Amino acid sequence: MSGRVAGGRVVLVGAGPGDPGLLTLRGAEALRRADVVLYDQLVDDAVLGHASPDAELINVGKRGHDAPTRSQDDINALLVRFAHDGKVVVRLKGGDPFVFGRGGEEASACVAAGVTFEVVPGVTSALSALSHAGIPVTDRRYSASFAVVTGHNDPTQVTAATRWEALATAVDTLVILMGMRNLPRLVERILSAGRSPDTPAAAVMWGTTARQETVVAPLADLPKRVEEAGLGAPAVVVVGDVVRLRDELAWFERLPLFGRRVLVTRPEAQAFELSSVIRAFGGDAIELPTVRIEPLEDASALDEALQRIDVYDVLLLASANAARALAARSTELGIPLDRPGLRVGCVGARTAEAAGELGIPVHLVPPRADGEGLAEAVAQWLEPAGLRFLLPRSEVGRDALPDAITAAGGEVETVTAYRTVGAEAGAERLNEELEAGRLDALTFTSPSTVRHFLAMLRPAAREAARRCVVAAIGATTAEALREAGLPARVVPERPEAAALVAALASHFGGSGAEPKEAS
Ligand code: SAH
């Protein structure tokens, strides 16, 4: 999609099966450009997070074949109405829009109303719930064909006439969606069509998510075993010899954080990286930011420093937030930061990345991503004595960096560039999650995330927090936790998101080795 097409249109986007990392790049782009998003019940918040903050998000509440809160006609009418109003409408559907998603009917409604539409395919649960259960849908050793069938019986639709008798033995792997409610009857039909009762079979519930649960049994026993295990929708049922491979290939459920729910308290803009590493280790990232980054109410001191920018030799960026805040004021004042005499040092790779994206040239990124590491690297890079340093930071910045540079003879001017304020929006949910004992681990990435976290808690939640595994990104945050009476049990060697999650993973008994997706 290059550029905005004039006028309204509808984009049918497949959201993937559950793991928000399985949305396609094109799907994410369509969301960024959407004016309105109509989404299904099962779509993850992190997928919706790709939409612009100005977009209107509408839950149309369809959950597979369960009683929809809105009829298909209503949804079709909404799509057409928004498009006629000139809006770019994303219709976000679980899995792939054309795999039992009624995407075809929505596309037909667009055609009938003269509305332009596009389709962005998605990763269907029919295949990905299996891959995450360690079951390849085909395999040279066991299966050369598969069929995907709906198990939902609607007497008014063509599905009522599904030729189970023929299908049951015509393909090697049979994949059934929406089959949980009718499972005993479906299995009966497949057996009476001549498939062996010993055929390996499985049901995978909530595939690709941290709630994934798999039951394996010989075909004849599957309904009973599924009932005993308490499995229900959404689940994919698979019948065929490929299920044998699961013993060897169940990679996802063996990830070190699989099934663990990990709280992310970082501000929203920075949560994504941490959350995606947590997911890459098989965990469920619960994003409930405890702080928000806000511009200053009075930016005059920062503006003044920018107006005198040419007196400084070195600009030190101690966080991505500092880079963003500084860049925002410099744009506002029309004072570019790429000045020939100004050298720029960043505290770590993420800060350097943020600076680069904002057009700030970066000259130094030390290997150790904290204030001490930057001070050390600065001293090696140039002789600080007699040089003037500018250090924009939050109002609660640490002194380690300026102190070290002052000690080396440099002249440091710190200036407040942004404010960190408590984010109250998620407070109720945070208290509930803690009180219900649903969180396995809590992660903190700065003293302010700790302070505001504690301020948001009711006494019972505070007590419950002590029973979670607490992880701090580095020594300063660990210190703040200790002072608050909530000592960190996990602190990585390097203060980086990936290292934090790896340390957490080894705490939970995994190898701590970084899975490939995390890189
Ligand atoms: N268009 C979707 C399917 C919609 S029908 C797709 O391509 O995946 C809804 C059915 O999909 C559910 O009843 C269930 O059988 C299956 N399903 C959806 N998400 C699932 C998941 N995460 N794990 C297992 N099955 C899932």
Side-chain angles (χ1 to χ4, degrees):
M1 285 186 297
S2 54
R4 188 179 274 264
V5 178
R9 72 207 152 91
V10 168
V11 192
L12 299 175
V13 175
D19 173 356
L22 293 174
L23 175 72
T24 65
L25 292 175
R26 172 131 335 152
E29 185 178 345
L31 279 165
R32 276 195 294 278
R33 293 168 189 271
D35 299 311
V36 185
V37 180
L38 303 184
Y39 64 97
D40 286 348
Q41 193 73 44
L42 292 179
V43 172
D44 193 280
D45 284 350
V47 170
L48 293 171
H50 289 281
S52 136
D54 305 326
E56 188 180 344
L57 305 182
I58 303 172
N59 179 351
V60 292
K62 290 193 63 179
R63 299 170 142 269
H65 58 92
D66 287 345
T69 53
R70 261 178 221 266
S71 73
Q72 190 63 48
D73 287 344
D74 283 353
I75 295 172
N76 295 354
L78 271 180
L79 288 173
V80 165
R81 201 186 77 211
F82 281 122
H84 277 158
D85 286 349
K87 303 272 169 66
V88 175
V89 189
V90 161
R91 173 69 178 106
L92 190 60
K93 305 171 74 67
D96 181 273
F98 282 173
V99 177
F100 303 125
R102 305 191 74 168
E105 292 164 56
E106 292 170 6
S108 291
C110 290
V111 173
V115 167
T116 313
F117 77 94
E118 293 164 34
V119 182
V120 181
V123 172
T124 178
S125 62
L127 304 180
S128 56
L130 301 196
S131 58
H132 276 57
I135 304 170
V137 72
T138 70
D139 186 278
R140 282 173 62 106
R141 292 163 287 183
Y142 295 110
S143 165
S145 58
F146 65 88
V148 180
V149 193
T150 168
H152 174 44
N153 228 346
D154 182 342
T156 67
Q157 300 295 325
V158 60
T159 52
T162 303
R163 289 176 298 126
W164 288 98
E165 286 65 28
L167 269 173
T169 52
V171 291
D172 296 325
T173 309
L174 199 53
V175 181
I176 306 167
L177 268 58
M178 297 178 278
M180 294 304 266
R181 220 184 269 173
N182 276 332
L183 193 59
R185 271 205 52 225
L186 295 173
V187 167
E188 222 170 85
R189 292 185 77 170
I190 298 168
L191 288 173
S192 62
R195 197 90 188 218
S196 159
D198 303 329
T199 311
V204 186
M205 179 173 73
W206 287 114
T208 78
T209 74
R211 301 156 75 182
Q212 174 172 314
E213 216 174 304
T214 308
V215 165
V216 177
L219 178 59
D221 298 342
L222 190 69
K224 190 177 73 191
R225 298 276 283 280
V226 157
E227 205 192 325
E228 283 165 6
L231 259 56
V236 169
V237 173
V238 52
V239 178
D241 283 327
V242 286
V243 174
R244 293 179 200 286
L245 290 166
R246 172 175 157 80
D247 273 348
E248 187 189 341
L249 303 183
W251 63 277
F252 181 61
E253 293 160 30
R254 290 181 192 139
L255 289 177
L257 290 181
F258 177 73
R260 307 282 183 184
R261 303 183 84 239
V262 182
L263 179 72
V264 174
T265 56
R266 256 195 164 175
E268 213 165 347
Q270 292 149 348
F272 185 76
E273 189 208 354
L274 185 55
S275 299
S276 60
V277 190
I278 291 168
R279 291 192 190 102
F281 276 90
D284 199 359
I286 315 299
E287 286 184 16
L288 289 171
T290 59
V291 296
R292 255 178 318 128
I293 305 303
E294 293 274 295
L296 296 173
E297 273 158 2
D298 173 10
S300 55
L302 180 61
D303 288 356
E304 210 178 292
L306 275 166
Q307 271 142 5
R308 287 185 289 118
I309 191 79
D310 287 324
V311 310
Y312 302 105
D313 302 293
V314 185
L315 171 64
L316 296 176
L317 297 175
S319 70
N321 292 326
R324 284 190 205 106
L326 191 71
R329 290 312 302 163
S330 84
T331 307
E332 180 74 30
L333 299 177
I335 303 171
L337 290 166
D338 53 341
R339 316 188 82 77
L342 186 67
R343 281 165 288 183
V344 180
C346 289
V347 75
R350 294 290 169 263
T351 305
E353 219 174 271
E357 278 165 16
L358 295 161
I360 306 174
V362 176
H363 306 97
L364 178 72
V365 189
R368 192 177 134 194
D370 58 12
E372 287 82 351
L374 181 55
E376 228 167 78
V378 163
Q380 277 167 18
W381 172 41
L382 33 80
E383 179 48 58
L387 295 184
R388 294 185 73 173
F389 294 77
L390 177 64
L391 173 59
R393 59 179 191 174
S394 79
E395 71 275 59
V396 290
R398 301 170 54 216
D399 292 326
L401 174 61
D403 287 355
I405 288 173
T406 311
E411 190 186 319
V412 186
E413 220 174 288
T414 58
V415 60
T416 303
Y418 61 92
R419 292 184 302 146
T420 306
V421 300
E424 292 296 325
E428 185 51 39
R429 166 135 186 247
L430 177 61
N431 279 286
E432 283 169 14
E433 291 275 352
L434 282 164
E435 286 163 6
R438 283 198 298 259
L439 298 173
D440 298 294
L442 315 174
T443 64
F444 297 95
T445 52
S446 68
S448 55
T449 58
V450 176
R451 208 173 47 248
H452 290 287
F453 169 79
L454 289 165
M456 281 158 80
L457 301 190
R458 297 189 282 256
R462 198 178 279 239
E463 206 39 56
R466 286 179 214 287
R467 293 190 286 272
C468 303
V469 173
V470 176
I473 198 161
T476 321
T477 306
E479 178 61 32
L481 283 162
R482 190 166 39 245
E483 280 169 12
L486 190 68
R489 269 194 269 169
V490 174
V491 186
E493 274 177 25
R494 283 170 296 119
E496 291 161 12
L500 174 67
V501 182
L504 200 55
S506 43
H507 175 89
F508 280 115
S511 65
E514 219 157 304
K516 284 218 167 61
E517 300 97 304
S519 62

